[in-house]
Structures are given as C-alpha cells and as structure tokens.
C-alpha cells in the first residue's frame, strides 16, 4: 500500500488510471482507491468532490496523454502516412490502456471539455488528419465518424480477444488502413 503522506489529486488520478487499466474503468471506486492508499474513503474526499469528479479528472488526464500520442504520430506526416500513424497510435493506446481509453470516451459536461487541453488537441489532430484529404463540412464530420467508429470497433474487439478467425489482427490491420485511405481519397462529396 502507498504511504498516506503526500496524497494529492494527481496521485489519486494516477492510481485511478492504473486501476482502470488493470480492473476496468467501470470498476473505479473511491473505496478501491482508498484501499490502494491505505486510507479511509473520507480521506480522498478532501481531494475530490465525488466519484464523478474523479472519473472526469481521469478523462481529462487520459485525453491529454492520448492527444500527446496522436500528435506525435501525425507530426510531419500527411495522407496515407498520417492516417497510418494516427490509426496505429489510436489502436496501440486503446489496446494497451483499455481503462484509460475508456476514460477518454466518457461524456463530460461542456465546461469540463472546454477547459481540457487534451480534448481540444484530440479534436484538432483528428480534424487535421481529415483536412489532409481535402474534406470540408459536412463530409468532414461524416468521415471522422466513420474512421473513429472503425478504429474504436477494431480496438475494442482486439482488446477483448473477440477476433476468433485464425488470421491475426495484425494481418488485417494494414489492409483495413489501405481501405480507409482509398475511401477517404475517393470520398463522395456533398453537393
């Protein structure tokens, strides 16, 4: 168990991130974190308002972490290379950190999203990728939704070992990326 001294909101959120990855985002509780730190639940409430506040703080922290990876994957790339870098960073994060990734999907109040640099950067990086394909609204939003759904679904299925065919997901991945690139390049524009 961790030492009681030095308990801070940042340490609590970091422990929540570790718990989310090991046990699942839905299993984060104040009681579980209190046990981790060897304190009573009430000790954590001096740093947090409630469980929802903890989950929102975790979502903001994980969005910043995820945005850093997406930004690095896009740096200096365009077109197919940008898509491959972005998609691979997305998949790697979602599979390696399923609880943290789940936290990034948590619907947050508008004011919390507006104050979250990580959420803003995730959105900016995502839209920058698609601007590279020359997409404008409303096609831009439609393309973002298609690719995000595809990446989310692939990562969720892979993380839960739901791909049962003998062909490994790593063999399907580059083909899927090539299909997405082809689709984005030939996107049917709205009149």
């Amino acid at each position: 168990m961790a030492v009681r001294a030095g308990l801070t909101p940042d340490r609590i959120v970091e422990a929540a991130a570790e718990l989310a990855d090991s046990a699942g985002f839905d299993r984060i509780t104040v009681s579980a974190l209190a046990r981790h730190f060897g304190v009573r639940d009430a000790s954590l409430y001096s740093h947090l308002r409630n469980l929802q506040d903890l989950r929102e703080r975790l979502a903001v922290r994980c969005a910043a972490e995820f945005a850093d990876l997406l930004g690095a994957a896009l740096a200096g790339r365009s077109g197919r290379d940008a898509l491959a870098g972005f998609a691979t960073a997305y998949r790697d994060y979602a599979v390696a950190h399923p609880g943290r990734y789940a936290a990034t999907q948590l619907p947050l109040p508008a004011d919390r999203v507006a104050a979250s640099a990580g959420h803003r950067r995730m959105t900016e990086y995502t839209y920058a990728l698609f601007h590279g394909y020359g997409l404008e609204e409303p096609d831009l939003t439609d393309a973002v939704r298609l690719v995000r759904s595809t990446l989310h679904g692939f990562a969720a299925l892979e993380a839960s070992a739901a791909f049962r065919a003998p062909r490994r997901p790593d063999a399907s991945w580059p083909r899927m990326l090539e299909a997405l690139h082809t689709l984005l390049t030939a996107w049917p524009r709205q009149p």
Side-chain angles (χ1 to χ4, degrees), residues 148-168:
R148 182 176 176 219
S149 299
T150 302
L151 298 179
H152 176 79
F154 192 98
L157 291 167
E158 184 176 17
S160 66
F163 288 129
R164 304 249 191 257
R167 183 172 169 82
R168 298 193 63 230

Side-chain angles (χ1 to χ4, degrees), residues 82-186:
L83 176 63
F86 181 94
T88 300
Y90 191 108
R91 175 188 177 204
D92 289 350
Y93 186 78
V95 172
H97 301 289
R100 293 172 200 232
Y101 173 72
T104 69
Q105 305 304 304
L106 181 70
L108 297 177
D111 62 325
R112 198 102 190 217
V113 172
S116 170
H119 282 87
R120 282 193 311 276
R121 287 186 300 125
M122 282 175 33
T123 300
E124 289 167 8
Y125 295 148
T126 301
Y127 279 84
L129 168 66
F130 292 98
H131 280 303
Y133 282 96
L135 296 173
E136 300 295 332
E137 292 298 351
D139 298 317
L140 183 60
T141 294
D142 295 343
V144 167
R145 287 175 178 167
L146 172 78
V147 173
R148 182 176 176 219
S149 299
T150 302
L151 298 179
H152 176 79
F154 192 98
L157 291 167
E158 184 176 17
S160 66
F163 288 129
R164 304 249 191 257
R167 183 172 169 82
R168 298 193 63 230
D170 284 342
S172 300
W173 183 250
R175 303 229 18 191
M176 186 183 83
L177 294 180
E178 188 60 31
L180 286 173
H181 172 70
T182 299
L183 181 106
L184 292 170
T185 301

Side-chain angles (χ1 to χ4, degrees), residues 8 20 22 33 37 43 46 52 56 58 69 78 83 93 104 110 113 131 145 148 176 181 185:
T8 66
S22 64
L33 288 170
F37 286 109
S43 297
S46 64
Q52 185 62 27
E56 289 177 9
L58 180 59
L69 296 173
S78 63
L83 176 63
Y93 186 78
T104 69
V113 172
H131 280 303
R145 287 175 178 167
R148 182 176 176 219
M176 186 183 83
H181 172 70
T185 301

